[in-house]
Amino acid sequence: MNVLVPGGNLPLPGGALAVRVPGPYDVCALVTDDSGKVRGDADFVFYNQPTAPGARLRGDTLTLEPHRLRDGATRVTVVVGAAEPGTPLARLPLPTLHVTDAPGRVLARFTPPATQGETVLLLAEFYRRGADWKLRAIGQGYADGLAGLARDFGVDVLTENSPTTEGRATTGPPHSHSQDFGHRRDGEHRRDGGQGRDGGLGRDGEHRLESGHGSDPEGFLALVNPARRTAGSPPVSLDGRLASAARGHAAAQAAAGRLAAVGADGVSVHQRVTSAGYRYLAVGEHLVSGPRTTAEFVAYCLRTDQPRRTLHDPAFTHTAVARATDTRTGEIYWTALWASPFTPDGLVRTAAEVVALTNRERARAGLRALAVDPPLTTAAQAHTADMAARAFYSHTSPEGSRPWDRAAAAGSARRTIGENIACGQRSPAEVVEGWMNSPGHRANILQPDFTHIGVGFAGGGPSGTYWTQLFGA
């Protein structure tokens, strides 16, 4: 094992790496090229957006697979901050970076020098030199927090300021959450053979749609339904609206010559689904390049962890698949969509599950359960649907209305209002877990003064899913 000092470098072996920082810290990572700037929000990995091609965050451990990073990525910078927002790192034990390889062998350890008033620390950098990857210890602090650091890396930062100094109000408009950096997307951006393809700007050029997009191209259902049956999931059926969306997105990827959840035309795969007339409660997608046939495509999905979970997901009832070829390169781009349709009863069940999971967290903290409040539910659902329909993500609507404004407009008489929002999470369990892993959102969930709740959910928009919790007292 190597014990590094600031500025120290270490060559790394090939394969996956586990990067762990135990203690009362939030771990983040920024994926950049040599310019030191992210390409977009998807390059920022943190508690509310825990995955990116080649990087996955779980608790205090970041798993890196350098060869799977997006095209053009040459650096991954590891950042730590206090789990409790605004806490100077000097009040905490010194963070220690532990790096291990796939078999679990410890490669390096780094403990930076003591900090002063800094709240965020640039801890280390994984960088590429030629075909090899190396680790550099840094230990540089930021006094203006994660938001300042993120802006330096080119991340658009959404912040909500509290009208009180403590971040919550006992009367009037309270703090709704601490910070949301971008939003999470959960598509699979992989190609056969394991190389991620998600880079660069689209290129102008021709593409052609593959033939064989009939009612069941090359026996897609005959391949996926037996696999679902083996996993204990019900069969899916083909849906023409999903097929139209899949064809449009596969063509957009081929035209741009890259995999992406959002096409060069600015339309996301989820917006194509809703534009085709399919309203959903659950959605999943495979965005893949490389396989030459449908059988190869399904085989890839079944042997790869996240795509396999999507294919097996029992929530889905409909599917579709399409492919298109970039005639400049011969590369084949695939889009497979999985969904279950929106129903009023399904929306009620989804909201009820969010409420139940929220109350379970409150019970664990010794707090009373929240009661469902119809006006808060109306306001939460309206704001969620608005975010999905107009493709924005904010506590403030384009017209300037805030959570307490919307609650009052819906007829709520609650004197104190709080709001959590999220986007990209695919289930009630996933969204509540994300909120509980975020200090600002967790504070709202565990606010003792809150007595009532309303929940909203909507599918569509750039992120696929949008969620709102509206609290009142």
Side-chain angles (χ1 to χ4, degrees):
M1 182 192 66
N2 294 272
V3 178
L4 299 178
V5 298
N9 291 267
L10 178 70
L12 296 169
L17 302 166
V19 183
R20 181 170 178 258
V21 185
Y25 305 103
D26 279 333
V27 181
C28 311
L30 296 117
V31 180
T32 66
D33 56 21
D34 286 334
S35 72
K37 299 291 185 180
V38 299
R39 179 174 291 167
D41 288 352
D43 283 348
F44 190 12
V45 179
F46 70 116
Y47 51 75
N48 210 32
Q49 181 171 271
T51 60
R56 180 179 294 272
L57 179 63
R58 188 174 183 86
D60 62 6
T61 302
L62 175 73
T63 301
L64 289 178
E65 297 179 272
H67 67 288
R68 293 184 181 271
L69 293 171
R70 63 158 175 84
D71 281 358
T74 58
R75 299 182 191 177
V76 178
T77 303
V78 178
V79 180
V80 295
E84 193 62 34
T87 302
L89 293 173
R91 296 183 188 176
L92 304 175
L94 289 175
T96 297
L97 178 84
H98 302 263
V99 181
T100 58
D101 61 12
R105 181 170 59 99
V106 180
L107 303 176
R109 187 177 67 199
F110 171 58
T111 302
T115 59
Q116 300 298 318
E118 295 90 340
T119 57
V120 167
L121 192 65
L122 221 76
L123 195 55
E125 179 183 71
F126 294 81
Y127 64 100
R128 190 175 68 196
R129 285 293 178 266
D132 299 322
W133 283 81
K134 296 184 178 182
L135 168 66
R136 177 187 295 119
I138 302 177
Q140 173 189 345
Y142 272 70
D144 53 350
L146 192 57
L149 181 144
R151 288 191 185 97
D152 283 356
F153 278 77
V155 179
D156 291 329
V157 178
L158 242 174
T159 61
E160 290 293 326
N161 295 321
S162 168
T164 68
T165 57
E166 294 181 352
R168 273 189 306 278
T170 55
T171 60
H175 174 63
S176 38
H177 72 55
S178 54
Q179 294 171 337
D180 271 311
F181 299 88
H183 47 72
R184 181 172 178 271
R185 299 188 181 102
D186 199 24
E188 292 75 46
H189 294 238
R190 303 286 191 270
R191 62 174 289 161
D192 194 43
Q195 284 244 316
R197 290 290 300 276
D198 186 17
L201 297 175
R203 300 187 302 270
D204 291 333
E206 295 182 353
H207 67 277
R208 69 172 186 274
L209 287 176
E210 290 290 303
S211 59
H213 292 293
S215 60
D216 186 3
E218 299 185 37
F220 185 59
L221 292 184
L223 294 167
V224 301
N225 277 334
R228 288 175 62 84
R229 184 168 56 248
T230 300
S233 299
V236 290
S237 59
L238 293 171
D239 184 273
R241 295 160 297 179
L242 294 181
S244 175
R247 286 194 296 270
H249 201 72
Q253 292 183 119
R258 64 184 178 96
L259 290 172
V262 179
D265 55 4
V267 180
S268 77
V269 63
H270 310 104
Q271 288 169 312
R272 298 185 203 280
V273 172
T274 53
S275 294
Y278 192 107
R279 295 180 65 199
Y280 55 81
L281 279 175
V283 69
E285 66 280 341
H286 294 121
L287 309 178
V288 178
S289 67
R292 309 301 297 181
T293 66
T294 305
E296 288 181 8
F297 168 74
V298 173
Y300 161 78
C301 294
L302 288 173
R303 69 171 179 264
T304 310
D305 184 44
Q306 179 59 47
R308 181 173 61 250
R309 289 200 297 269
T310 299
L311 192 152
H312 285 164
D313 195 326
F316 299 135
T317 58
H318 295 115
T319 189
V321 66
R323 54 180 172 147
T325 299
D326 181 348
T327 57
R328 298 155 298 192
T329 64
E331 189 83 350
I332 297 177
Y333 291 85
W334 295 81
T335 298
L337 296 172
W338 310 81
S340 60
F342 173 91
T343 64
D345 288 346
L347 178 61
V348 170
R349 289 193 300 271
T350 298
E353 189 172 350
V354 172
V355 173
L357 292 168
T358 299
N359 280 332
R360 186 175 70 180
E361 297 295 343
R362 288 178 65 86
R364 288 173 176 170
L367 301 172
R368 60 182 171 179
L370 302 172
V372 174
D373 182 83
L376 293 181
T377 299
T378 298
Q381 182 60 35
H383 183 59
T384 313
D386 192 27
M387 287 192 292
R390 294 201 283 174
F392 74 95
Y393 179 60
S394 175
H395 296 284
T396 304
S397 76
E399 291 76 29
S401 71
R402 304 294 296 272
W404 36 93
D405 302 322
R406 295 188 290 271
S412 174
R414 307 294 164 192
R415 296 184 62 200
T416 303
I417 296 294
E419 183 178 79
N420 287 342
I421 59 175
C423 60
Q425 293 80 4
R426 302 305 175 93
S427 69
E430 188 178 342
V431 74
V432 173
E433 180 183 7
W435 280 326
M436 288 300 294
N437 287 335
S438 161
H441 297 84
R442 183 173 62 243
N444 271 343
I445 289 175
L446 301 183
Q447 166 60 261
D449 295 336
F450 287 144
T451 56
H452 290 77
I453 188 174
V455 171
F457 166 83
S463 296
T465 58
Y466 292 78
W467 307 80
T468 300
Q469 287 179 312
L470 198 56
F471 304 94

